[in-house]
Amino acid sequence: MIRHIVLFRRRPDVARDPQREADLAARMTALGADIPAIQFWRVAANEFERPISWDYVLESEVADAEALDAYLLHPLHQALVADLKPYFEWAAVDYTVGADSTAA
């Protein structure tokens, strides 16, 4: 199982637009039901304002690297990414669930 985590925040050069942001967040939330490779999907908004906070988190799981590629290359995902880029910046981490990445 591969866990795919993405943090989103409004780009510093973009003015806050609550309606646009709500629409993008709703589209992110809905995407999980539209792509067969996705086994788990959750989008949540940040609740506590701190200097290191990001605005949203996406948590998802897929079966394996092949399923991750299927999700990332899916046309619905690609269309959403194109619409997210002008408003959000993001950082992602993908890792194998259960793998001990801290072992020496």
Side-chain angles (χ1 to χ4, degrees):
M1 184 77 59
I2 303 292
R3 188 163 291 150
H4 174 68
I5 309 283
V6 186
L7 299 174
F8 297 88
R9 65 179 167 207
R10 182 179 45 85
R11 295 168 46 109
D13 60 327
V14 174
R16 186 170 301 280
D17 181 341
Q19 184 59 54
R20 181 178 181 191
E21 191 169 311
D23 291 345
L24 290 169
R27 287 182 59 202
M28 282 192 283
T29 299
L31 187 66
D34 294 333
I35 299 179
I38 296 169
Q39 296 182 1
F40 172 81
W41 187 265
R42 176 179 25 223
V43 175
N46 181 47
E47 296 178 16
F48 302 99
E49 203 57 45
R50 299 184 306 146
I52 63 168
S53 295
W54 288 61
D55 298 322
Y56 296 90
V57 62
L58 161 67
E59 302 171 277
S60 61
E61 290 183 357
V62 295
D64 52 28
E66 191 173 282
L68 180 62
D69 285 343
Y71 152 64
L72 294 173
L73 298 173
H74 194 283
L76 292 174
H77 176 258
Q78 291 295 310
L80 180 57
V81 165
D83 292 341
L84 292 171
K85 278 184 177 183
Y87 192 80
F88 287 113
E89 60 184 355
W90 58 86
V93 174
D94 302 306
Y95 63 93
T96 302
V97 176
D100 184 1
S101 61
T102 61

